[in-house]
Amino acid sequence: MTDRNYIERSFDLALRGSGYVSPNPLVGAVIVKDGEVISEGWHEKYGGPHAEANAINNYTGDLSGSTLYCNLEPCCHTNKKTPPCAPLIISSGIKRVVISNLDPNPEVAGKGVSMMQESGIEVVSGILEEKGNELNRFFFKHIKTKQPYVSLKIAASLDGFISTGRDVQTWLTGSESKKYVHSLRASYDAVLVGASTVKVDNPKLNVRETEGRNPIKIVVDGNLSINPDVSLISEEPEKLIIYTSENSNPDKISKLRKMGVTVVPVSSNRDSTLELAKVVADIGSRGLSSLLVEGGANIFSQFVASDLFDDIHLLTAPVLLGSGLNFAPLKNRKELKIKRSQKIGEDQLLLLTK
Amino acid sequence: MTDRNYIERSFDLALRGSGYVSPNPLVGAVIVKDGEVISEGWHEKYGGPHAEANAINNYTGDLSGSTLYCNLEPCCHTNKKTPPCAPLIISSGIKRVVISNLDPNPEVAGKGVSMMQESGIEVVSGILEEKGNELNRFFFKHIKTKQPYVSLKIAASLDGFISTGRDVQTWLTGSESKKYVHSLRASYDAVLVGASTVKVDNPKLNVRETEGRNPIKIVVDGNLSINPDVSLISEEPEKLIIYTSENSNPDKISKLRKMGVTVVPVSSNRDSTLELAKVVADIGSRGLSSLLVEGGANIFSQFVASDLFDDIHLLTAPVLLGSGLNFAPLKNRKELKIKRSQKIGEDQLLLLTK
């Protein structure tokens, strides 16, 4: 087993916190002594102990001379919910620390490494760095830009249609794709749709087809046309945020707020669409580090045209509709790259980046 | 090495004849004695010796007691260009014959196997039968139905457009996809486009990006609007077939025929499009066992709507056009299956079947 193998293991452990630790990073830790893994831990939930602390405290024997593998630089700052990890590592007797990524948090940013090195611990960093960056892409983007990592999820026909027409719900992708979408929801902090998707599909936007917690649900509804009877309001109003125009009916805003919904007025563009950059910035300011945009066509087009996305999960069903509503009516051509391609049940997934 | 391994080898050898043997099948043959391959052969070109004859004649030593592996049942009929293979095998001393597919040609159809068995040769058939069917899908369809195997090749954007508008040439897929298309052309007997594709793209439809012979080129041109200066006429008029309406200008038909072009009048539908089923049947009757349809949108739609296709090679470029000409404007939804998915350079290929 090499350093890379143990770092890979720390990635696997880190992923167990997916959906539960945000806006904290996903972190896993492995302690190895005399070639044997003697303890493991991961950051299990926001506010709970860090991965390194869990790994150290899970082991009751002597850690002296052991090596700690951890995908992220151990923390050293004290103005937070849990005690810092670097001093704990130093006092544990661990003699070598191997990490993948430095913590971009300006309060850590190499200081964790320095603190450990100064007390005589050998520190190796940058192992599988790119894969570590990928693992914590939500955290890294949010901590550096205060914006959420934005993914668009599109389910379309082979010929680029999401439905046979405007305001028509069309069944396209299969049950495996549905599971895939629900697993995405479980890993993103928030899921966003436009008002017409709420009207046509009355979606719940929760996690049913897989294990996981429900995300925050967001509706962009310029005219505040949402019907108070929809599932998003009746089922978990406290998990719903509606962005609407500053000119929307104050009585309706009050009524929704009394029902437990968060309503956020935002300024509009000339064409009366909401200023999407402001919506996204507000989402980031709420500590939501990742956003999954689930449609419809107008919303996709706005996110693509305003370049407010990081990647696109395009699920293609093996069907030709022949005509209908195109998934992203745009004024200008947009070049992308295929990062990953994968069969999901009978459908095809393309993961696209800029 | 098992029977399957040697049959696989016969498939590889058979493929070397791709593009050169039609309307004959692709056939490869391997002779094994005492666990060693002692000879190989394949059907190299239409009218030339069969694979079994090549393998037998390539070896000057003693074949007695050896095994012949061959993807297709050896022939036994005499009303054709070359002597039958079954008697040659019997007289060679070969004691065992392993094949993948029986020959569906009614003049063979099991009789080759019987003839060999009656002379004491052990015959095993059906090894990797499905893969053998796939290898000779052009031959099997043509011999059973007299129709060519029809593939549609489409290059489109992620959002289903083949160009930014009607009569506009739009560059979408990359250089690897171009090579893929040229290798398709080299393996199909004929390539077909509509009149507007000739007008907009002035294509050569020949094989430039890979090794291989040029296919027969076919244009569906109801009004006979083709310009006599286009590359298809100026470069290889003897390889061009134009299907046009029975009402087209006889003078223009004569003029094109004098230039070496084959012009075939066909009856029209009420909407003045040609009767595509008649076009396809005529192509099959000319001994062309495979047809690659390269566009444009109207032609694709007609082939899909009339169900006159066997599979679709959909090449998707990682770009959103936002609007434009959809690749298959259809009146009705058409369900397909993804048979294979593959990255080609920066693009994605989906091979779709019904």
Side-chain angles (χ1 to χ4, degrees):
Chain A
M1 296 287 276
T2 66
D3 284 356
R4 290 166 65 104
N5 296 131
Y6 293 121
I7 286 291
E8 289 270 13
R9 175 66 185 160
S10 78
F11 292 158
D12 292 343
L13 293 165
L15 272 172
R16 295 185 186 177
S18 178
Y20 297 102
V21 302
S22 178
N24 282 349
L26 298 167
V27 189
V30 180
I31 303 177
V32 176
K33 190 172 178 177
D34 301 328
E36 296 285 330
V37 173
I38 57 170
S39 189
E40 295 183 335
W42 65 96
H43 187 33
E44 295 174 18
K45 60 176 184 185
Y46 180 70
H50 284 190
E52 308 90 309
N54 278 334
I56 289 169
N57 295 329
N58 283 347
Y59 189 68
T60 52
D62 179 16
L63 288 172
S64 59
S66 64
T67 299
L68 171 72
Y69 293 88
C70 190
N71 58 297
L72 198 71
E73 178 182 11
C75 64
C76 55
H77 57 311
T78 51
N79 56 341
K80 57 184 179 52
K81 294 205 169 193
T82 52
C85 293
L88 180 67
I89 292 165
I90 293 166
S91 65
S92 74
I94 286 170
K95 280 296 159 209
R96 185 165 177 260
V97 172
V98 180
I99 63 176
S100 180
N101 303 118
L102 293 179
D103 190 334
N105 185 336
E107 303 201 56
V108 187
K111 291 178 204 152
V113 167
S114 304
M115 187 186 283
M116 294 187 293
Q117 283 174 329
E118 279 159 20
S119 68
I121 292 177
E122 178 196 348
V123 181
V124 179
S125 66
I127 306 294
L128 295 174
E129 193 168 13
E130 203 169 324
K131 208 168 167 186
N133 281 331
E134 175 72 15
L135 176 79
N136 271 309
R137 60 195 181 283
F138 299 169
F139 169 72
F140 288 132
K141 175 161 185 197
H142 188 247
I143 203 153
K144 287 176 191 167
T145 67
K146 308 292 175 207
Q147 307 276 320
Y149 185 98
V150 179
S151 297
L152 314 184
K153 179 233 90 182
I154 298 165
S157 66
L158 291 162
D159 44 354
F161 301 109
I162 53 173
S163 66
T164 54
R166 194 165 291 280
D167 295 345
V168 179
Q169 190 179 20
T170 304
W171 189 251
L172 290 171
T173 48
S175 57
E176 290 301 313
S177 289
K178 195 172 179 184
K179 273 185 203 164
Y180 177 79
V181 171
H182 283 237
S183 71
L184 282 181
R185 285 180 189 164
S187 68
Y188 281 72
D189 289 349
V191 173
L192 181 149
V193 293
S196 70
T197 297
V198 176
K199 188 176 151 200
V200 177
D201 297 348
N202 189 18
K204 296 178 195 290
L205 301 180
N206 59 11
V207 177
R208 301 183 299 277
E209 304 285 331
T210 181
E211 293 280 307
R213 57 99 195 94
N214 290 342
I216 295 293
K217 302 143 193 182
I218 297 173
V219 178
V220 173
D221 184 4
N223 305 320
L224 208 56
S225 62
I226 196 165
N227 181 331
D229 296 333
V230 296
S231 301
L232 288 174
I233 295 176
S234 60
E235 297 203 354
E236 287 183 308
E238 74 286 358
K239 283 207 151 192
L240 179 62
I241 304 173
I242 300 177
Y243 290 92
T244 191
S245 160
E246 288 168 337
N247 306 321
S248 287
N249 183 331
D251 293 344
K252 188 151 189 194
I253 292 177
S254 300
K255 190 181 164 197
L256 287 165
R257 283 179 175 158
K258 275 180 197 146
M259 296 171 90
V261 178
T262 302
V263 182
V264 185
V266 178
S267 51
S268 304
N269 297 308
R270 279 191 191 175
D271 62 357
S272 87
T273 58
L274 296 188
E275 285 192 42
L276 207 57
K278 291 196 175 159
V279 171
V280 172
D282 185 83
I283 291 167
S285 75
R286 291 169 185 270
L288 299 168
S289 68
S290 55
L291 177 66
L292 182 67
V293 178
E294 293 209 33
N298 281 340
I299 290 287
F300 287 139
S301 301
Q302 289 174 48
F303 271 92
V304 173
S306 55
D307 212 30
L308 283 168
F309 71 99
D310 294 283
D311 60 30
I312 301 176
H313 296 252
L314 175 59
L315 286 157
T316 304
V319 61
L320 295 169
L321 288 187
S323 66
L325 183 60
N326 198 269
F327 71 72
L330 294 167
K331 286 194 186 122
N332 298 304
R333 178 178 175 134
K334 180 83 185 174
E335 304 286 341
L336 298 165
K337 290 191 189 88
I338 299 172
K339 185 174 178 183
R340 190 157 53 84
S341 162
Q342 168 186 353
K343 193 107 183 272
I344 297 199
E346 302 300 307
D347 307 319
Q348 184 71 24
L349 169 71
L350 292 185
L351 179 60
L352 302 153
T353 56
K354 289 188 277 191
Chain B
M1 296 284 279
T2 66
D3 283 355
R4 290 166 64 102
N5 296 132
Y6 293 121
I7 286 291
E8 288 272 13
R9 175 66 185 160
S10 79
F11 292 159
D12 292 343
L13 293 166
L15 272 172
R16 295 186 186 177
S18 177
Y20 297 102
V21 302
S22 177
N24 282 348
L26 297 167
V27 189
V30 180
I31 303 177
V32 176
K33 190 171 177 178
D34 300 329
E36 296 285 329
V37 172
I38 57 170
S39 189
E40 294 183 335
W42 64 95
H43 187 32
E44 296 175 17
K45 61 177 184 184
Y46 180 71
H50 285 191
E52 307 92 309
N54 278 333
I56 289 171
N57 295 328
N58 284 347
Y59 189 68
T60 52
D62 179 16
L63 288 171
S64 58
S66 63
T67 299
L68 170 73
Y69 293 88
C70 189
N71 57 298
L72 199 70
E73 178 183 10
C75 63
C76 56
H77 56 311
T78 51
N79 57 341
K80 58 184 178 54
K81 293 204 171 193
T82 52
C85 292
L88 180 67
I89 293 166
I90 293 166
S91 65
S92 75
I94 286 169
K95 280 297 157 209
R96 186 167 177 260
V97 172
V98 180
I99 64 176
S100 182
N101 303 117
L102 292 179
D103 190 334
N105 185 335
E107 303 201 55
V108 186
K111 292 178 203 152
V113 167
S114 304
M115 188 186 282
M116 293 187 294
Q117 284 174 328
E118 280 159 20
S119 68
I121 293 176
E122 178 197 351
V123 181
V124 179
S125 66
I127 306 295
L128 296 173
E129 193 169 12
E130 203 169 324
K131 207 169 168 186
N133 282 332
E134 174 72 16
L135 176 79
N136 271 310
R137 59 195 181 283
F138 298 169
F139 168 73
F140 287 132
K141 176 162 184 198
H142 188 248
I143 204 154
K144 287 175 191 166
T145 67
K146 308 294 175 206
Q147 306 276 319
Y149 186 98
V150 179
S151 296
L152 313 184
K153 180 234 89 184
I154 298 166
S157 67
L158 291 162
D159 44 354
F161 301 110
I162 51 172
S163 66
T164 54
R166 195 165 289 279
D167 295 345
V168 179
Q169 189 178 21
T170 304
W171 189 249
L172 289 171
T173 48
S175 56
E176 290 301 312
S177 289
K178 195 172 179 185
K179 273 184 203 164
Y180 177 79
V181 171
H182 282 238
S183 70
L184 282 182
R185 285 181 190 164
S187 68
Y188 281 72
D189 290 349
V191 174
L192 181 150
V193 293
S196 69
T197 297
V198 176
K199 189 176 149 198
V200 176
D201 296 350
N202 188 18
K204 295 180 196 291
L205 302 180
N206 58 12
V207 177
R208 302 183 297 279
E209 304 285 330
T210 181
E211 293 278 308
R213 58 100 193 92
N214 291 341
I216 295 292
K217 302 142 191 181
I218 297 173
V219 177
V220 173
D221 184 3
N223 305 321
L224 208 56
S225 63
I226 196 165
N227 181 331
D229 296 332
V230 296
S231 301
L232 288 174
I233 296 177
S234 60
E235 297 202 354
E236 286 183 308
E238 74 286 358
K239 283 206 149 193
L240 179 62
I241 304 172
I242 300 177
Y243 289 92
T244 191
S245 160
E246 289 168 335
N247 306 321
S248 287
N249 183 331
D251 293 342
K252 189 152 187 194
I253 293 178
S254 300
K255 190 182 162 193
L256 286 164
R257 284 178 174 160
K258 276 183 197 144
M259 295 170 90
V261 178
T262 302
V263 183
V264 184
V266 178
S267 52
S268 303
N269 297 309
R270 278 190 192 174
D271 63 358
S272 86
T273 58
L274 296 187
E275 283 191 43
L276 208 56
K278 291 198 176 161
V279 170
V280 172
D282 184 82
I283 292 168
S285 75
R286 289 169 188 271
L288 299 168
S289 68
S290 55
L291 177 67
L292 182 68
V293 178
E294 292 209 34
N298 281 339
I299 290 287
F300 288 138
S301 302
Q302 289 175 48
F303 271 92
V304 173
S306 55
D307 212 29
L308 284 168
F309 70 99
D310 294 281
D311 60 29
I312 301 176
H313 297 251
L314 175 59
L315 286 157
T316 304
V319 60
L320 296 169
L321 287 187
S323 67
L325 183 62
N326 198 269
F327 70 72
L330 294 167
K331 285 194 187 120
N332 297 305
R333 178 177 174 134
K334 180 82 187 176
E335 303 286 341
L336 298 165
K337 291 193 189 86
I338 298 173
K339 184 174 178 184
R340 189 158 53 84
S341 160
Q342 164 187 357
K343 193 107 182 273
I344 297 201
E346 302 301 307
D347 307 318
Q348 185 73 24
L349 169 73
L350 292 185
L351 178 61
L352 302 153
T353 56
K354 289 188 275 191

